[in-house]
Amino acid sequence: QVQLVESGGGLVQAGGSLRLSCAASGSIGSINVMGWYCQAPGKQREMVAAITNAGVTNYADFVAGRFTISRDNAKNTVYLEMNSMNPEDTALYYCNANAKIMPWGPRDYWGQGTQVTVSS
């Protein structure tokens, strides 16, 4: 099993910044990819950013150039630095980990979500 704990959400003004953190525990060695998803009210959950164990990153078009995903392997933690934020970034942000645990194969694990609100 993998447990994910998010922190860092809150209220920020347009143009400001936040830094989200996600600490993983459990079967850490089984994790292939970690990332961040967002879900606004009435909208589908969508990927914001992801990072593989090899350090390869992927970003949604609407955050590219503004958000940066990184990881600290020693702390089993991933971060999402959010800059130049706008009200459209307001959403519940979830940490995600994809782990391949035998004998089940790849499975997704989710944090509880942390609220991000951007005021105009």
Side-chain angles (χ1 to χ4, degrees), residues 48-62:
V48 175
I51 184 167
T52 71
N53 289 346
V56 179
T57 58
N58 189 27
Y59 296 94
D61 289 341
F62 66 91

Side-chain angles (χ1 to χ4, degrees), residues 106-118:
R107 292 189 294 176
D108 281 308
Y109 298 84
W110 298 91
Q112 80 285 353
T114 184
Q115 179 66 42
V116 171
T117 303
V118 184

